[in-house]
Amino acid sequence: EVQLVETGGGLVQPGRSLKLSCVASGFTFSSYWMYWIRQAPGKGLEWVSSINTDGGSTYYPDSVKGRFTISRDNAENTVYLQMNSLRSEDTATYYCAKMHYGSYGVMDAWGQGASVTVSS
Amino acid sequence: DIVMTQTPSSQAVSAGEKVTMSCKSSQSLLYNENKKNYLAWYQQKPGQSPKLLIYWASTRESGVPDRFIGSGSGTDFTLTISSVQAEDLAVYYCQQYYNFPTFGGGTKLELK
């Protein structure tokens, strides 16, 4: 069974940093792209980042580019999201998700989410 | 960026009813080389993570009941639930993966 477990969320002041982790199990982690998607309270879904299988290629929307960094450790079956210079608008539940085999950009398994609140 | 627009934003339904919801993209999601539409649908129940229902616009994910039907091509797509069940009350999101992923605003199914 595929499992994705996010940790590292919490309350952080504006301008500070936070690092999320997502530990994967139940599939060959190193064979799949991974994603971070966020959902602000009561709002819809927003793609935050993607990383390819070996970590050599990463992608971000303009809203987080230059502030967030995705990385992965295939030996530890873990994907990370380093979030710097956090803003109030970054407040959201952050989900990690796994690529659907053969369909780049389709997310076929999601974690339970990590809550991040940016507030003074 | 490709903008995804879903209508309606909410819909009140009764059990057993046929339901349709729309998703429109600001540019075509049809890739001519493989004739595939890069469009997925997800279901999110209250307090839960999203769940993949459909990809390539009309391919059901394994384990998804056949009452969920995806259709459409180019810029206009539809998710149909042929006979709504109580457990289908949720928010439904469309998502394009032709470019970097973007999601629609969602359609919330509520009980009439």
Side-chain angles (χ1 to χ4, degrees), chain A residues 35 37 39 43-47 50 59-62 95 100 102-113, chain B residues 1 36 38-40 42 44 47-52 54-56 61 93 95-97 100-105:
Chain A
Y35 308 92
I37 301 97
Q39 186 169 37
K43 302 296 185 183
L45 301 168
E46 179 188 16
W47 165 70
S50 305
Y59 305 91
Y60 310 90
D62 288 344
Y95 297 100
H100 185 278
S103 312
Y104 295 100
V106 178
M107 300 142 199
D108 70 351
W110 299 59
Q112 85 287 351
Chain B
D1 290 4
K36 289 186 173 183
Y38 285 59
L39 189 282
Y42 299 84
Q44 187 177 30
Q48 296 186 17
S49 308
K51 172 189 172 184
L52 175 65
I54 285 168
Y55 56 100
W56 299 130
E61 172 69 333
Y93 293 97
Q95 176 231 328
Q96 66 78 21
Y97 49 104
F100 296 132
T102 51
F103 293 86

Side-chain angles (χ1 to χ4, degrees), chain A residues 3-21:
Chain A
Q3 277 202 311
L4 299 168
V5 179
E6 301 97 335
T7 57
L11 173 64
V12 61
Q13 293 179 327
R16 305 297 291 263
S17 299
L18 201 63
K19 187 172 185 176
L20 303 181
S21 301

